[in-house]
Amino acid sequence: MAPRYAPSLRAPLPLSILLLQMGFAALFALYARLAEPEVTADNHFTNTYAGFQDVNVMLFLGFGLLATCFVRYAFSSLAFVLLLGSCSVQWAILANGFLYHFHDGKIWISLRSLAEAQLCAISCLIAMGSVLGKTNPVQLLLMALLEVTGFIANTWILHTFLKAEVMYSSALLHIFASFFGVIMSWTLVQKQPELQHEKEKLDRKTALFSMMGVLFLWMFWPSFLFGLVAPSLPACKMAAIYSTYLSMAASAISAFTISMVMSPRGKINMAHIQGAMLAGGVAMTFVISVNHMPWVAITTGMCAGLLSTMGLLYLKPHLELTFGCHDTCGVLSVHGLPGILGWAAYLFVQVSHAPDTAWSQSMFCICSLLITLSTSAIAGGLTGFLLKWTIWRPPQDRKRFEDQAFWKFEHLAMEQ
Amino acid sequence: MAPRYAPSLRAPLPLSILLLQMGFAALFALYARLAEPEVTADNHFTNTYAGFQDVNVMLFLGFGLLATCFVRYAFSSLAFVLLLGSCSVQWAILANGFLYHFHDGKIWISLRSLAEAQLCAISCLIAMGSVLGKTNPVQLLLMALLEVTGFIANTWILHTFLKAEVMYSSALLHIFASFFGVIMSWTLVQKQPELQHEKEKLDRKTALFSMMGVLFLWMFWPSFLFGLVAPSLPACKMAAIYSTYLSMAASAISAFTISMVMSPRGKINMAHIQGAMLAGGVAMTFVISVNHMPWVAITTGMCAGLLSTMGLLYLKPHLELTFGCHDTCGVLSVHGLPGILGWAAYLFVQVSHAPDTAWSQSMFCICSLLITLSTSAIAGGLTGFLLKWTIWRPPQDRKRFEDQAFWKFEHLAMEQ
Amino acid sequence: MAPRYAPSLRAPLPLSILLLQMGFAALFALYARLAEPEVTADNHFTNTYAGFQDVNVMLFLGFGLLATCFVRYAFSSLAFVLLLGSCSVQWAILANGFLYHFHDGKIWISLRSLAEAQLCAISCLIAMGSVLGKTNPVQLLLMALLEVTGFIANTWILHTFLKAEVMYSSALLHIFASFFGVIMSWTLVQKQPELQHEKEKLDRKTALFSMMGVLFLWMFWPSFLFGLVAPSLPACKMAAIYSTYLSMAASAISAFTISMVMSPRGKINMAHIQGAMLAGGVAMTFVISVNHMPWVAITTGMCAGLLSTMGLLYLKPHLELTFGCHDTCGVLSVHGLPGILGWAAYLFVQVSHAPDTAWSQSMFCICSLLITLSTSAIAGGLTGFLLKWTIWRPPQDRKRFEDQAFWKFEHLAMEQ
């Protein structure tokens, strides 16, 4: 029942996590200071603690419970989300701090820098979705460090070379994270013997936990997008809430009906609902900053729900069978495709509003998308190669999606 | 295992939902626009996004999880709450918009109109509680449209003929929804072969999910009532929070003790707790606008808990055995009786405060109650008759409270 | 299966709860009035309803779900947390009101007094953690009344004799509650036949519910500590949020790694994670008021996670085997040890900041700690002796950790 690596190697794995945390503590001691509230008041990314707290709920309860769907992997999923979230938030505070909040030799921590770090942590948890169940915590932590670094590098590239605003490059997070995840998963685990691992299935109770996670994400998505709109546009911020709310509702209805229509016996598939309900929010990430018509939000939500369900039905098994690319939570369909749909809707609205700048606007959008796709593919591929290294002791195939490999269960206390 | 309707009919059912959503999109495109935040600031129903978000949590997580109690019907309950919530919010925005927010040929959407729509959606989900498990999603959606229309019509009648304030007519939502639900259920399903369907029972785990839903409703009820107090009375708004908090606490304690006292062996019944804990909040819906004495809140809460537990113990089985009226979640005992108790307490406090207007005040209260009861009975009866129509393919008796009829379970993927 | 006490005694137990609630109602009627919002605005403990609501979520959802971990005791744990929370909040409003908010012959209730009452309720629920599963609801309610009274008395003693600020004495709540609980449990149940009760174990699903409770506590801890900082220090309030957030993250990582390192096969123990994740927040309760360096927060969090895991691994079984002191949820390791660590860190930071007042500062801290320990030990011991009295009909040993003794399960409806 125990993992097959020798006892002498097991201790170094948790110790390396502890060392990482001590490294963070040292970096914080050397460089990080808390900013005075006055400094942050006029330049706020998320202007309220309540909005920050809502995103915190999405990050830990939303993604944490969403990941508990696998019947024998619920403990690990939830715990690894916690571990990765806690770790990537600290690393993102440091990395963003050195790039954007470095004055007088110190990083100044404020509600804004915590909110930016949450954004990076969300991108890291999306990427994690594609390798969940096939990696151990040390691999996941390494992945988290590299993904956050890649995401911040991509934002920096877009900012430096294309003068992209931070709100625009933040909106690319779904596309970046899903492509990073899929390419990483493809590099890491090529061969897939069977179509679906037996343990990848939902059971009636874990599906309810997972659905609760979806609900937390679904309900607080307006708060998430509210934080992504520049505070200089208060009308835009409220509009973001109304639009996102309507889009999420339309996306949920669309997910239900498409799942029912596509099934030969008219039955709903819980896995489709869980993915496609969120697609409306993903697609709105771009659209909120340019559109204030409710019907556009509703239509985008409906199309995103449709596209996402189709992706889960056809694209996910196709990638697996044809390319051997196994995407555990279907992040390409849930975040990648709706993200690109939102990007296209953004471009379309921008061009139709200002036809005279159509050419430059289109070039900017297309370039930024291509740069993001390239960065994510390169970063994802490198991460995948790095994680294959046997020094990390990746779990064997039969240990995948199995809590037993990582957890001490009390009813087995006697035998161990 | 599949529903017995012919394949040719199954596709039209989900397609009709999709058509409905497309109709909403078209109506939003033609009429709905987002209001500027300035317009809404001085005339706000719920004045903060945080309060709106709390009610959103009650609507989807609260009612959604509350409904998961049935041992083999948890997926459907949760998903249908989501579907109905998403749908009725959109319809209520449009219907309320045409009546109250229509200027310059457009409906102006604001945080206020979303909050009003949430109220209608809550009334729709309460009514749904009485037919849960005995209807399919298309029937439920039709019910949602009719219930929301009926509730808005009732508010309009009270406003037009009795000059009732919107806060007062909104407070009637529990009474309207529970009578609508019970009459609809009675018309829809008359004969009940056994006392309780085997699948209507709780199991140890679904009861915990359900209890979480109750807790979300219980905890955020002060936010809900906070939104129902006119913003011109700031002292009243804070008093609503303190009173509701105390009333909910007293109601919980009363529910526990009555459930224990009434059981021959001194044992607590989870179904009673889940219903009666909320009764304190239901009863306060009226009382908050006239009373600021903590002891009145505590006493109202205790009496509501007592009344609700008694209703679940004696009224619910009696209605079922004598009239063949099956009320799945006992909405009459949980929302109807405490609502009437709260109405009576409101009338009593009003009369004792201003004895000189006692006669006119009593007439107004009694008339509004009678109008609400009549409207809800007529609307509920008509809805019940309409839903009996076999074109909707209602689930057969043995398919009731059974997820299998609507969901594709992955462990059965091979056979299907 | 029924409890062994005679029917004639069973009814008095719930009736005594009802009488207690009626007594509260009478006291509220005689003395309690709602304060005008103006009165509370300039003197606010927690300055927003949102912060109050966050602590409410911690109190009921957090502690409620945290307690559901026991495989056959989930209903009782959740329900008794609700019962005790509802009851102790009311008693604390009255007791605090008579001491601190009594003007013109009345207790004035405001958001501040509700927040103070929540604090007392939290201390009561922590103490409950050590006797959970070994007591009946009436014993627990009696314990709640005595614990809240003891905690308020301790605050009053520190305030009167040492001129301690209310923020400082509130921060002692973890230490007071855990020592109260452990001494009470030791007095109440001395002999423990086996090392661990079979029913004290987690199962895969109840552990997930419990983990959700931990997450609610973990996520909203910054709101909790935000409310404990004096509003005259706005910079301190925001710093409390950033520091607590970082400390919680470090504490989670530390808990994971220590649990893995300490296990002979490198496996994580869910019970350690659940306890030690929160230790970072407990330790920060003192530190936030004196420190604004992020690295101190991170280091304190790491040390608290380490100390708490070690306590759960070694101290908890040692207390049980050597002294027969059974601490159900390990509150001494989860709240007591990190609380003392935080106290020591506070003293250290204070002394290093102001070396000239080191002597008086140390004396103050040490005296306040010793007084708190003595008060909690005396109050806990007396409570334990009182609860042993057979008039309360304590559950027999074989009924411990067993829902069957208190709940009517529907699938057994026929037999009962």
Side-chain angles (χ1 to χ4, degrees), chain B residues 170-191:
Chain B
S170 300
L172 286 161
L173 93 116
H174 295 287
I175 299 175
F176 182 90
S178 56
F179 278 88
F180 180 98
V182 168
I183 300 287
M184 171 176 57
S185 177
W186 187 48
T187 329
L188 182 65
V189 193
Q190 278 267 345
K191 203 176 119 289

Side-chain angles (χ1 to χ4, degrees), chain C residues 54-105:
Chain C
D54 283 355
V55 179
N56 210 16
V57 170
M58 290 174 71
L59 187 56
F60 291 104
L61 261 187
F63 282 103
L65 290 178
L66 176 56
T68 58
C69 53
F70 305 112
V71 62
R72 293 176 68 78
Y73 203 62
F75 276 32
S76 305
S77 307
L78 180 51
F80 296 167
V81 164
L82 266 171
L83 194 63
L84 256 70
S86 302
C87 207
S88 55
V89 157
Q90 294 183 62
W91 174 236
I93 288 172
L94 289 170
N96 272 321
F98 281 118
L99 276 179
Y100 303 114
H101 308 295
F102 198 74
H103 314 296
D104 311 328

Side-chain angles (χ1 to χ4, degrees), chain C residues 234-246:
Chain C
C236 239
K237 278 184 105 71
M238 285 317 282
I241 288 174
Y242 311 150
S243 301
T244 312
Y245 191 76
L246 291 170

